[in-house]
Amino acid sequence: MQIAQRMNLLGTETAFEVLAEVNKLKASGKDIISFAIGEPDFDTPSNIIDAGIKALKGGYTHYGPSAGLLPIRESIARYVSNSRGIKVDPEEVIVTPGAKPIIFFGILSCINEGDEVIYPNPGFPIYESVINFIGAKPVPLPLLEEKDFRFDVEMLKEKITKRTRMIIINSPQNPTGGVLTEDDLKIIADLAIENDLWVFSDEIYCNMVYDGKFKSISSLPGMKERTILLDGFSKTYAMTGWRLGFGVTNTELATHIARLETNSVSCTSTFTQMAGVEALEGLQDESKAMIKEFKARRYLIVEELNKIDGITCKNPGGAFYVFPNVTEACKKLNLKNSKEFQQYLLYKADVAVLAGTCFGRKNEEEDQEYVRLSYAASRENIREGVRRIKEAVEK
Ligand code: PLP
């Protein structure tokens, strides 16, 4: 039977394939320590679970409006207003099943075939996949290790052409943990205004900034109306399986995104949305404790990785990822690239990591190899996992 040609354009998250391999090995009895997973290893805070159950018992089992129930749109508007220092109205909020649909719906609503979209590389693979899928041109913006995985301003300027319509940013970043500075944001904002561009700001890790305060590009003058802000509950509240996220943008675009939601998933499950209200309005203790623990683990994993001969690791500013340089380790072990290193660690050290190339092709003239480790793992597992890596690399 025929499969539409456009499906050839759609990419995927190869991380899921590695996870399937890891799970198979675990099921066969292998004791694998996994640094591959992109979600908190904590359970959803109990007050949120209780609110979800209460909502189910209270009749939140029906369809709701596509853009989201009013109570959660109001809560999100308050939360974004306070955390970003901008005035957000509930009509500017669209609630989605997870934050991911905002990437798909946002790009689909703003970008025509043949337009160019600048996106971070390495980066969350869904950006490039969706840009390709709709027939636009993905233009990778290299994130550089020597700049703590931020971009080079001149490079960004060179990437902007007459066809550019959008710049995607993600800070704190997946997979590098890099955080853009306020100056970086100002430069992007100036360029966006000068060239009349959308900025898609993926702020899903905004509550995981460890060495300063989070700043959103939407709070810079003239930026709110041209920003599509993505945030959600998956990371901050350990709610990945609930599927709850949101976008904030101007009301005109919000209406289009809601229409895409009507045409695809109808709405986000309503009891989940009521649990989301509790997440934003209720006790923050468990979420705060989790984030504090991530910060402690970051120190631990960076310190331990840097003790390995052949690996160097920057101290990232946010999220729960490190992106060590493993070029020397690959050379020592006669491995061609980070993918082979990933497989070597999986089968020789019983440790799962993700190759840097799971997050996009190598940038032009790039000759370094990286892997991503998520430190959503206990301190005990971090110590033991990194010990295994050390043994396998220094053998
Ligand atoms: N954006 C980035 C950068 C992410 O890393 C993720 C999840 O891993 C998402 C968006 C999607 O989040 P959600 O699970 O809420 O759809």
Side-chain angles (χ1 to χ4, degrees):
M1 296 303 291
Q2 172 178 299
I3 301 291
Q5 274 174 7
R6 75 174 72 85
M7 292 312 292
N8 295 328
L9 300 172
L10 194 63
T12 187
E13 261 189 83
T14 47
F16 281 110
E17 286 154 25
V18 182
L19 290 179
E21 199 175 350
V22 171
N23 288 336
K24 217 163 117 191
L25 285 169
K26 278 185 175 168
S28 75
K30 279 268 179 199
D31 161 37
I32 306 281
I33 292 185
S34 181
F35 296 119
I37 196 107
E39 64 173 342
D41 54 322
F42 291 80
D43 289 329
T44 305
S46 45
N47 59 316
I48 301 174
I49 293 180
D50 290 344
I53 294 169
K54 190 171 159 214
L56 272 172
K57 290 193 169 164
Y60 283 94
T61 54
H62 299 273
Y63 290 130
S66 292
L69 295 170
L70 189 59
I72 193 167
R73 291 176 88 193
E74 285 174 344
S75 286
I76 293 168
R78 257 194 307 277
Y79 156 74
V80 177
S81 300
N82 293 335
S83 53
R84 275 72 171 183
I86 51 175
K87 190 180 168 307
V88 174
D89 294 324
E91 307 84 74
E92 296 169 312
V93 175
I94 322 105
V95 183
T96 41
K100 224 177 199 175
I102 294 296
I103 302 176
F104 207 100
F105 297 164
I107 296 175
L108 201 56
S109 302
C110 299
I111 302 301
N112 283 320
E113 253 176 66
D115 288 347
E116 294 179 7
V117 178
I118 297 173
Y119 71 99
N121 192 38
F124 192 49
I126 301 307
Y127 311 136
E128 186 189 1
S129 167
V130 174
I131 299 164
N132 272 323
F133 189 60
I134 62 168
K137 183 178 169 198
V139 179
L141 176 65
L143 300 183
L144 308 169
E145 184 184 8
E146 64 268 26
K147 293 194 65 110
D148 292 325
F149 298 109
R150 291 159 41 242
F151 60 92
D152 178 85
V153 177
E154 289 312 311
M155 241 186 230
L156 171 58
K157 285 184 183 159
E158 278 166 23
K159 303 270 172 196
I160 297 175
T161 72
K162 280 201 189 85
R163 310 210 77 156
T164 309
R165 293 288 172 273
M166 177 184 278
I167 301 176
I168 300 178
I169 58 174
N170 172 213
S171 172
Q173 212 242 356
N174 179 8
T176 65
V179 176
L180 297 177
T181 64
E182 200 166 334
D183 282 346
D184 294 334
L185 298 179
K186 280 189 186 135
I187 288 161
I188 296 166
D190 287 347
L191 289 168
I193 291 169
E194 202 179 305
N195 295 282
D196 197 19
L197 309 176
W198 285 104
V199 171
F200 188 103
S201 183
D202 184 338
E203 304 181 1
I204 193 94
Y205 297 101
C206 64
N207 291 302
M208 295 165 182
V209 174
Y210 305 120
D211 306 317
K213 263 194 86 180
F214 172 74
K215 177 92 183 166
S216 170
I217 197 163
S218 64
S219 67
L220 298 178
M223 284 309 293
K224 196 190 138 198
E225 56 269 29
R226 60 175 66 250
T227 302
I228 306 167
L229 186 160
L230 172 156
D231 194 357
F233 298 75
S234 297
K235 317 288 173 176
T236 305
Y237 296 104
M239 289 176 74
T240 47
W242 292 72
R243 309 313 298 135
L244 186 62
F246 58 87
V248 176
T249 190
N250 68 50
T251 41
E252 186 191 357
L253 178 57
T255 314
H256 290 296
I257 293 180
R259 216 150 44 95
L260 279 172
E261 201 161 349
T262 309
N263 275 271
S264 51
V265 294
S266 291
C267 66
T268 306
S269 82
T270 45
F271 65 92
T272 298
Q273 294 185 58
M274 294 316 286
V277 173
E278 172 63 21
L280 294 177
E281 308 281 343
L283 270 183
Q284 301 295 309
D285 301 19
E286 287 184 54
S287 164
K288 285 204 170 122
M290 175 182 79
I291 293 166
K292 197 167 157 214
E293 175 61 20
F294 282 143
K295 185 172 177 179
R297 291 176 186 178
R298 175 189 67 153
Y299 283 118
L300 176 66
I301 199 163
V302 169
E303 197 180 357
E304 293 303 311
L305 283 169
N306 277 316
K307 287 181 190 162
I308 302 176
D309 195 17
I311 296 183
T312 55
C313 185
K314 291 260 181 187
N315 192 29
F320 42 73
Y321 306 112
V322 286
F323 203 61
N325 185 320
V326 296
T327 316
E328 287 308 312
C330 288
K331 277 190 196 145
K332 216 154 75 167
L333 297 163
N334 254 329
L335 301 170
K336 274 207 296 289
N337 51 38
S338 61
K339 184 86 197 161
E340 287 194 4
F341 188 70
Q342 168 197 298
Q343 294 307 91
Y344 175 81
L345 289 186
L346 186 56
Y347 286 93
K348 294 283 194 293
D350 292 338
V351 172
V353 303
L354 292 177
T357 43
C358 288
F359 302 93
R361 244 169 292 122
K362 274 190 172 179
N363 288 306
E364 264 172 52
E365 292 171 31
E366 169 75 75
D367 60 357
Q368 301 294 293
E369 302 296 333
Y370 300 92
V371 288
R372 188 194 82 172
L373 281 79
S374 151
Y375 47 91
S378 68
R379 294 193 207 188
E380 194 187 346
N381 276 355
I382 290 174
R383 279 198 197 91
E384 171 59 13
V386 181
R387 188 197 64 73
R388 291 184 191 178
I389 298 175
K390 186 172 166 66
E391 201 174 274
V393 170
E394 293 181 353
K395 72 178 173 79

PDB file of all heavy atoms in Angstrom, residues 13 38 97-101 103 124 127 170 172-174 202 204-205 230-235 240 243-245 321 372, ligand 1:
ATOM      1  N   GLU A  13      13.268  10.884  16.899  1.00  0.00           N
ATOM      2  CA  GLU A  13      14.219  11.012  18.006  1.00  0.00           C
ATOM      3  C   GLU A  13      14.928   9.678  18.112  1.00  0.00           C
ATOM      4  O   GLU A  13      14.346   8.705  18.609  1.00  0.00           O
ATOM      5  CB  GLU A  13      13.448  11.284  19.306  1.00  0.00           C
ATOM      6  CG  GLU A  13      13.403  12.729  19.704  1.00  0.00           C
ATOM      7  CD  GLU A  13      12.817  12.914  21.106  1.00  0.00           C
ATOM      8  OE1 GLU A  13      13.542  12.771  22.081  1.00  0.00           O
ATOM      9  OE2 GLU A  13      11.615  13.217  21.184  1.00  0.00           O
ATOM     10  N   GLY A  38      15.795  11.116  28.991  1.00  0.00           N
ATOM     11  CA  GLY A  38      15.609  12.568  29.051  1.00  0.00           C
ATOM     12  C   GLY A  38      14.448  12.980  29.938  1.00  0.00           C
ATOM     13  O   GLY A  38      13.683  13.877  29.586  1.00  0.00           O
ATOM     14  N   PRO A  97      -1.125  18.447  24.748  1.00  0.00           N
ATOM     15  CA  PRO A  97      -0.709  17.180  25.381  1.00  0.00           C
ATOM     16  C   PRO A  97       0.818  17.054  25.323  1.00  0.00           C
ATOM     17  O   PRO A  97       1.369  16.590  24.339  1.00  0.00           O
ATOM     18  CB  PRO A  97      -1.379  16.109  24.525  1.00  0.00           C
ATOM     19  CG  PRO A  97      -2.249  16.820  23.548  1.00  0.00           C
ATOM     20  CD  PRO A  97      -1.787  18.231  23.457  1.00  0.00           C
ATOM     21  N   GLY A  98       1.494  17.511  26.353  1.00  0.00           N
ATOM     22  CA  GLY A  98       2.955  17.646  26.332  1.00  0.00           C
ATOM     23  C   GLY A  98       3.303  18.943  25.632  1.00  0.00           C
ATOM     24  O   GLY A  98       2.454  19.551  24.953  1.00  0.00           O
ATOM     25  N   ALA A  99       4.556  19.371  25.794  1.00  0.00           N
ATOM     26  CA  ALA A  99       4.951  20.629  25.159  1.00  0.00           C
ATOM     27  C   ALA A  99       5.312  20.427  23.683  1.00  0.00           C
ATOM     28  O   ALA A  99       5.276  21.359  22.885  1.00  0.00           O
ATOM     29  CB  ALA A  99       6.146  21.221  25.903  1.00  0.00           C
ATOM     30  N   LYS A 100       5.629  19.194  23.328  1.00  0.00           N
ATOM     31  CA  LYS A 100       6.109  18.898  21.971  1.00  0.00           C
ATOM     32  C   LYS A 100       5.194  19.403  20.856  1.00  0.00           C
ATOM     33  O   LYS A 100       5.682  19.923  19.856  1.00  0.00           O
ATOM     34  CB  LYS A 100       6.296  17.392  21.845  1.00  0.00           C
ATOM     35  CG  LYS A 100       7.576  16.979  21.165  1.00  0.00           C
ATOM     36  CD  LYS A 100       7.638  15.456  21.179  1.00  0.00           C
ATOM     37  CE  LYS A 100       9.037  14.954  20.956  1.00  0.00           C
ATOM     38  NZ  LYS A 100       9.083  13.493  21.089  1.00  0.00           N
ATOM     39  N   PRO A 101       3.854  19.237  20.992  1.00  0.00           N
ATOM     40  CA  PRO A 101       2.991  19.705  19.892  1.00  0.00           C
ATOM     41  C   PRO A 101       3.165  21.193  19.583  1.00  0.00           C
ATOM     42  O   PRO A 101       2.877  21.624  18.461  1.00  0.00           O
ATOM     43  CB  PRO A 101       1.568  19.425  20.408  1.00  0.00           C
ATOM     44  CG  PRO A 101       1.725  18.361  21.427  1.00  0.00           C
ATOM     45  CD  PRO A 101       3.068  18.572  22.050  1.00  0.00           C
ATOM     46  N   ILE A 103       5.914  22.678  19.208  1.00  0.00           N
ATOM     47  CA  ILE A 103       6.952  22.739  18.164  1.00  0.00           C
ATOM     48  C   ILE A 103       6.287  22.499  16.812  1.00  0.00           C
ATOM     49  O   ILE A 103       6.436  23.281  15.867  1.00  0.00           O
ATOM     50  CB  ILE A 103       8.061  21.691  18.416  1.00  0.00           C
ATOM     51  CG1 ILE A 103       8.703  21.886  19.794  1.00  0.00           C
ATOM     52  CG2 ILE A 103       9.108  21.729  17.298  1.00  0.00           C
ATOM     53  CD1 ILE A 103       9.754  20.837  20.166  1.00  0.00           C
ATOM     54  N   PHE A 124      17.545  19.596  20.078  1.00  0.00           N
ATOM     55  CA  PHE A 124      16.422  18.657  20.165  1.00  0.00           C
ATOM     56  C   PHE A 124      16.015  18.293  18.731  1.00  0.00           C
ATOM     57  O   PHE A 124      15.694  19.188  17.931  1.00  0.00           O
ATOM     58  CB  PHE A 124      15.282  19.345  20.922  1.00  0.00           C
ATOM     59  CG  PHE A 124      14.165  18.442  21.338  1.00  0.00           C
ATOM     60  CD1 PHE A 124      14.411  17.242  21.984  1.00  0.00           C
ATOM     61  CD2 PHE A 124      12.845  18.810  21.121  1.00  0.00           C
ATOM     62  CE1 PHE A 124      13.378  16.413  22.384  1.00  0.00           C
ATOM     63  CE2 PHE A 124      11.796  17.991  21.522  1.00  0.00           C
ATOM     64  CZ  PHE A 124      12.067  16.792  22.152  1.00  0.00           C
ATOM     65  N   TYR A 127      13.046  19.756  16.060  1.00  0.00           N
ATOM     66  CA  TYR A 127      13.018  21.019  15.297  1.00  0.00           C
ATOM     67  C   TYR A 127      13.331  20.745  13.826  1.00  0.00           C
ATOM     68  O   TYR A 127      12.581  21.115  12.931  1.00  0.00           O
ATOM     69  CB  TYR A 127      14.045  22.036  15.823  1.00  0.00           C
ATOM     70  CG  TYR A 127      14.061  22.289  17.311  1.00  0.00           C
ATOM     71  CD1 TYR A 127      15.277  22.362  17.996  1.00  0.00           C
ATOM     72  CD2 TYR A 127      12.891  22.482  18.026  1.00  0.00           C
ATOM     73  CE1 TYR A 127      15.322  22.612  19.361  1.00  0.00           C
ATOM     74  CE2 TYR A 127      12.939  22.730  19.395  1.00  0.00           C
ATOM     75  CZ  TYR A 127      14.151  22.794  20.054  1.00  0.00           C
ATOM     76  OH  TYR A 127      14.194  23.032  21.397  1.00  0.00           O
ATOM     77  N   ASN A 170      16.792  27.412  22.468  1.00  0.00           N
ATOM     78  CA  ASN A 170      16.439  26.488  23.541  1.00  0.00           C
ATOM     79  C   ASN A 170      17.462  26.696  24.666  1.00  0.00           C
ATOM     80  O   ASN A 170      18.606  26.322  24.541  1.00  0.00           O
ATOM     81  CB  ASN A 170      16.497  25.045  22.988  1.00  0.00           C
ATOM     82  CG  ASN A 170      16.331  23.971  24.062  1.00  0.00           C
ATOM     83  OD1 ASN A 170      16.910  22.894  23.974  1.00  0.00           O
ATOM     84  ND2 ASN A 170      15.534  24.247  25.067  1.00  0.00           N
ATOM     85  N   PRO A 172      17.674  26.791  29.111  1.00  0.00           N
ATOM     86  CA  PRO A 172      18.765  25.830  29.061  1.00  0.00           C
ATOM     87  C   PRO A 172      18.513  24.764  27.985  1.00  0.00           C
ATOM     88  O   PRO A 172      17.367  24.467  27.667  1.00  0.00           O
ATOM     89  CB  PRO A 172      18.764  25.204  30.444  1.00  0.00           C
ATOM     90  CG  PRO A 172      18.086  26.185  31.338  1.00  0.00           C
ATOM     91  CD  PRO A 172      17.080  26.872  30.476  1.00  0.00           C
ATOM     92  N   GLN A 173      19.635  24.214  27.507  1.00  0.00           N
ATOM     93  CA  GLN A 173      19.544  23.463  26.265  1.00  0.00           C
ATOM     94  C   GLN A 173      19.665  21.946  26.428  1.00  0.00           C
ATOM     95  O   GLN A 173      20.413  21.450  27.263  1.00  0.00           O
ATOM     96  CB  GLN A 173      20.675  23.956  25.339  1.00  0.00           C
ATOM     97  CG  GLN A 173      20.324  23.901  23.876  1.00  0.00           C
ATOM     98  CD  GLN A 173      21.226  22.985  23.090  1.00  0.00           C
ATOM     99  OE1 GLN A 173      22.181  22.429  23.606  1.00  0.00           O
ATOM    100  NE2 GLN A 173      20.907  22.806  21.817  1.00  0.00           N
ATOM    101  N   ASN A 174      18.932  21.266  25.600  1.00  0.00           N
ATOM    102  CA  ASN A 174      19.078  19.838  25.399  1.00  0.00           C
ATOM    103  C   ASN A 174      19.776  19.689  24.046  1.00  0.00           C
ATOM    104  O   ASN A 174      19.266  20.224  23.064  1.00  0.00           O
ATOM    105  CB  ASN A 174      17.688  19.185  25.353  1.00  0.00           C
ATOM    106  CG  ASN A 174      17.731  17.696  25.126  1.00  0.00           C
ATOM    107  OD1 ASN A 174      18.782  17.085  25.141  1.00  0.00           O
ATOM    108  ND2 ASN A 174      16.564  17.108  24.903  1.00  0.00           N
ATOM    109  N   ASP A 202      12.189  27.720  23.201  1.00  0.00           N
ATOM    110  CA  ASP A 202      11.865  26.495  23.934  1.00  0.00           C
ATOM    111  C   ASP A 202      12.438  26.622  25.343  1.00  0.00           C
ATOM    112  O   ASP A 202      13.640  26.533  25.557  1.00  0.00           O
ATOM    113  CB  ASP A 202      12.466  25.293  23.182  1.00  0.00           C
ATOM    114  CG  ASP A 202      12.095  23.960  23.814  1.00  0.00           C
ATOM    115  OD1 ASP A 202      11.758  23.944  25.015  1.00  0.00           O
ATOM    116  OD2 ASP A 202      12.158  22.929  23.118  1.00  0.00           O
ATOM    117  N   ILE A 204      11.517  24.797  28.104  1.00  0.00           N
ATOM    118  CA  ILE A 204      11.041  23.665  28.913  1.00  0.00           C
ATOM    119  C   ILE A 204      11.930  23.415  30.145  1.00  0.00           C
ATOM    120  O   ILE A 204      11.467  22.872  31.137  1.00  0.00           O
ATOM    121  CB  ILE A 204      10.910  22.388  28.034  1.00  0.00           C
ATOM    122  CG1 ILE A 204      10.130  21.283  28.736  1.00  0.00           C
ATOM    123  CG2 ILE A 204      12.256  21.834  27.604  1.00  0.00           C
ATOM    124  CD1 ILE A 204       8.694  21.238  28.428  1.00  0.00           C
ATOM    125  N   TYR A 205      13.208  23.836  30.077  1.00  0.00           N
ATOM    126  CA  TYR A 205      14.116  23.636  31.235  1.00  0.00           C
ATOM    127  C   TYR A 205      14.316  24.930  32.035  1.00  0.00           C
ATOM    128  O   TYR A 205      15.299  25.067  32.755  1.00  0.00           O
ATOM    129  CB  TYR A 205      15.469  23.097  30.749  1.00  0.00           C
ATOM    130  CG  TYR A 205      15.364  21.740  30.081  1.00  0.00           C
ATOM    131  CD1 TYR A 205      15.382  21.615  28.693  1.00  0.00           C
ATOM    132  CD2 TYR A 205      15.208  20.585  30.832  1.00  0.00           C
ATOM    133  CE1 TYR A 205      15.257  20.379  28.076  1.00  0.00           C
ATOM    134  CE2 TYR A 205      15.080  19.337  30.233  1.00  0.00           C
ATOM    135  CZ  TYR A 205      15.104  19.242  28.851  1.00  0.00           C
ATOM    136  OH  TYR A 205      14.977  18.010  28.251  1.00  0.00           O
ATOM    137  N   LEU A 230       7.571  28.158  24.493  1.00  0.00           N
ATOM    138  CA  LEU A 230       7.165  26.791  24.848  1.00  0.00           C
ATOM    139  C   LEU A 230       7.620  26.498  26.271  1.00  0.00           C
ATOM    140  O   LEU A 230       8.751  26.794  26.643  1.00  0.00           O
ATOM    141  CB  LEU A 230       7.813  25.811  23.871  1.00  0.00           C
ATOM    142  CG  LEU A 230       7.707  24.296  24.141  1.00  0.00           C
ATOM    143  CD1 LEU A 230       7.858  23.521  22.825  1.00  0.00           C
ATOM    144  CD2 LEU A 230       8.703  23.774  25.158  1.00  0.00           C
ATOM    145  N   ASP A 231       6.726  25.953  27.056  1.00  0.00           N
ATOM    146  CA  ASP A 231       7.091  25.507  28.403  1.00  0.00           C
ATOM    147  C   ASP A 231       6.108  24.381  28.756  1.00  0.00           C
ATOM    148  O   ASP A 231       5.181  24.080  27.988  1.00  0.00           O
ATOM    149  CB  ASP A 231       7.020  26.681  29.395  1.00  0.00           C
ATOM    150  CG  ASP A 231       7.695  26.385  30.738  1.00  0.00           C
ATOM    151  OD1 ASP A 231       8.181  25.260  30.944  1.00  0.00           O
ATOM    152  OD2 ASP A 231       7.715  27.292  31.599  1.00  0.00           O
ATOM    153  N   GLY A 232       6.302  23.772  29.901  1.00  0.00           N
ATOM    154  CA  GLY A 232       5.398  22.676  30.243  1.00  0.00           C
ATOM    155  C   GLY A 232       5.701  22.095  31.597  1.00  0.00           C
ATOM    156  O   GLY A 232       6.491  22.646  32.365  1.00  0.00           O
ATOM    157  N   PHE A 233       5.078  20.962  31.860  1.00  0.00           N
ATOM    158  CA  PHE A 233       5.105  20.359  33.197  1.00  0.00           C
ATOM    159  C   PHE A 233       6.019  19.147  33.270  1.00  0.00           C
ATOM    160  O   PHE A 233       6.327  18.663  34.359  1.00  0.00           O
ATOM    161  CB  PHE A 233       3.673  19.968  33.595  1.00  0.00           C
ATOM    162  CG  PHE A 233       2.744  21.147  33.690  1.00  0.00           C
ATOM    163  CD1 PHE A 233       2.257  21.771  32.545  1.00  0.00           C
ATOM    164  CD2 PHE A 233       2.370  21.645  34.928  1.00  0.00           C
ATOM    165  CE1 PHE A 233       1.418  22.875  32.629  1.00  0.00           C
ATOM    166  CE2 PHE A 233       1.530  22.751  35.023  1.00  0.00           C
ATOM    167  CZ  PHE A 233       1.053  23.365  33.863  1.00  0.00           C
ATOM    168  N   SER A 234       6.451  18.637  32.103  1.00  0.00           N
ATOM    169  CA  SER A 234       7.181  17.364  32.056  1.00  0.00           C
ATOM    170  C   SER A 234       8.434  17.364  32.913  1.00  0.00           C
ATOM    171  O   SER A 234       8.688  16.407  33.646  1.00  0.00           O
ATOM    172  CB  SER A 234       7.580  17.046  30.612  1.00  0.00           C
ATOM    173  OG  SER A 234       6.443  16.872  29.831  1.00  0.00           O
ATOM    174  N   LYS A 235       9.219  18.434  32.809  1.00  0.00           N
ATOM    175  CA  LYS A 235      10.521  18.427  33.483  1.00  0.00           C
ATOM    176  C   LYS A 235      10.395  19.022  34.895  1.00  0.00           C
ATOM    177  O   LYS A 235      10.801  18.403  35.869  1.00  0.00           O
ATOM    178  CB  LYS A 235      11.549  19.212  32.662  1.00  0.00           C
ATOM    179  CG  LYS A 235      11.500  18.944  31.164  1.00  0.00           C
ATOM    180  CD  LYS A 235      12.025  17.584  30.747  1.00  0.00           C
ATOM    181  CE  LYS A 235      11.782  17.350  29.263  1.00  0.00           C
ATOM    182  NZ  LYS A 235      12.313  16.143  28.703  1.00  0.00           N
ATOM    183  N   THR A 240       6.260  13.727  32.813  1.00  0.00           N
ATOM    184  CA  THR A 240       6.411  13.383  31.385  1.00  0.00           C
ATOM    185  C   THR A 240       5.260  12.526  30.849  1.00  0.00           C
ATOM    186  O   THR A 240       4.819  12.721  29.731  1.00  0.00           O
ATOM    187  CB  THR A 240       7.745  12.649  31.149  1.00  0.00           C
ATOM    188  OG1 THR A 240       7.878  11.634  32.140  1.00  0.00           O
ATOM    189  CG2 THR A 240       8.928  13.589  31.246  1.00  0.00           C
ATOM    190  N   ARG A 243       1.493  14.047  29.898  1.00  0.00           N
ATOM    191  CA  ARG A 243       1.380  14.810  28.653  1.00  0.00           C
ATOM    192  C   ARG A 243       0.645  16.142  28.899  1.00  0.00           C
ATOM    193  O   ARG A 243      -0.555  16.273  28.705  1.00  0.00           O
ATOM    194  CB  ARG A 243       0.682  14.006  27.527  1.00  0.00           C
ATOM    195  CG  ARG A 243       1.234  12.641  27.257  1.00  0.00           C
ATOM    196  CD  ARG A 243       2.767  12.599  27.140  1.00  0.00           C
ATOM    197  NE  ARG A 243       3.288  13.387  26.048  1.00  0.00           N
ATOM    198  CZ  ARG A 243       4.359  14.220  26.173  1.00  0.00           C
ATOM    199  NH1 ARG A 243       4.985  14.364  27.325  1.00  0.00           N
ATOM    200  NH2 ARG A 243       4.771  14.900  25.132  1.00  0.00           N
ATOM    201  N   LEU A 244       1.418  17.091  29.351  1.00  0.00           N
ATOM    202  CA  LEU A 244       0.863  18.420  29.615  1.00  0.00           C
ATOM    203  C   LEU A 244       1.920  19.488  29.369  1.00  0.00           C
ATOM    204  O   LEU A 244       2.982  19.475  29.999  1.00  0.00           O
ATOM    205  CB  LEU A 244       0.360  18.489  31.072  1.00  0.00           C
ATOM    206  CG  LEU A 244      -0.390  19.767  31.470  1.00  0.00           C
ATOM    207  CD1 LEU A 244      -1.667  19.936  30.649  1.00  0.00           C
ATOM    208  CD2 LEU A 244      -0.737  19.733  32.970  1.00  0.00           C
ATOM    209  N   GLY A 245       1.633  20.362  28.427  1.00  0.00           N
ATOM    210  CA  GLY A 245       2.556  21.453  28.119  1.00  0.00           C
ATOM    211  C   GLY A 245       1.765  22.625  27.583  1.00  0.00           C
ATOM    212  O   GLY A 245       0.530  22.586  27.502  1.00  0.00           O
ATOM    213  N   TYR A 321      21.584  17.676  31.784  1.00  0.00           N
ATOM    214  CA  TYR A 321      22.456  16.989  30.829  1.00  0.00           C
ATOM    215  C   TYR A 321      23.884  17.518  30.907  1.00  0.00           C
ATOM    216  O   TYR A 321      24.097  18.703  31.178  1.00  0.00           O
ATOM    217  CB  TYR A 321      21.965  17.231  29.396  1.00  0.00           C
ATOM    218  CG  TYR A 321      20.517  16.883  29.179  1.00  0.00           C
ATOM    219  CD1 TYR A 321      19.572  17.883  28.925  1.00  0.00           C
ATOM    220  CD2 TYR A 321      20.081  15.561  29.241  1.00  0.00           C
ATOM    221  CE1 TYR A 321      18.228  17.572  28.737  1.00  0.00           C
ATOM    222  CE2 TYR A 321      18.741  15.240  29.046  1.00  0.00           C
ATOM    223  CZ  TYR A 321      17.822  16.249  28.796  1.00  0.00           C
ATOM    224  OH  TYR A 321      16.507  15.937  28.612  1.00  0.00           O
ATOM    225  N   ARG A 372      25.964  12.586  25.107  1.00  0.00           N
ATOM    226  CA  ARG A 372      25.107  13.216  26.116  1.00  0.00           C
ATOM    227  C   ARG A 372      24.851  12.235  27.256  1.00  0.00           C
ATOM    228  O   ARG A 372      24.492  11.082  27.011  1.00  0.00           O
ATOM    229  CB  ARG A 372      23.758  13.638  25.524  1.00  0.00           C
ATOM    230  CG  ARG A 372      22.936  14.468  26.531  1.00  0.00           C
ATOM    231  CD  ARG A 372      21.484  14.621  26.119  1.00  0.00           C
ATOM    232  NE  ARG A 372      20.679  13.451  26.476  1.00  0.00           N
ATOM    233  CZ  ARG A 372      19.354  13.385  26.375  1.00  0.00           C
ATOM    234  NH1 ARG A 372      18.672  14.419  25.905  1.00  0.00           N
ATOM    235  NH2 ARG A 372      18.694  12.280  26.705  1.00  0.00           N
TER     236      ARG A 372
HETATM  237  N1  PLP B   1      11.778  20.617  24.184  1.00  0.00           N
HETATM  238  C1  PLP B   1      12.915  20.050  24.617  1.00  0.00           C
HETATM  239  C2  PLP B   1      14.203  20.760  24.433  1.00  0.00           C
HETATM  240  C3  PLP B   1      12.897  18.796  25.232  1.00  0.00           C
HETATM  241  O1  PLP B   1      14.037  18.232  25.649  1.00  0.00           O
HETATM  242  C4  PLP B   1      11.651  18.120  25.361  1.00  0.00           C
HETATM  243  C5  PLP B   1      11.572  16.775  25.933  1.00  0.00           C
HETATM  244  O2  PLP B   1      12.526  16.049  26.057  1.00  0.00           O
HETATM  245  C6  PLP B   1      10.497  18.768  24.894  1.00  0.00           C
HETATM  246  C7  PLP B   1      10.598  20.011  24.314  1.00  0.00           C
HETATM  247  C8  PLP B   1       9.144  18.107  24.953  1.00  0.00           C
HETATM  248  O3  PLP B   1       8.593  18.040  26.204  1.00  0.00           O
HETATM  249  P1  PLP B   1       7.229  17.247  26.488  1.00  0.00           P
HETATM  250  O4  PLP B   1       7.608  15.907  27.041  1.00  0.00           O
HETATM  251  O5  PLP B   1       6.488  18.072  27.486  1.00  0.00           O
HETATM  252  O6  PLP B   1       6.484  17.110  25.220  1.00  0.00           O
END
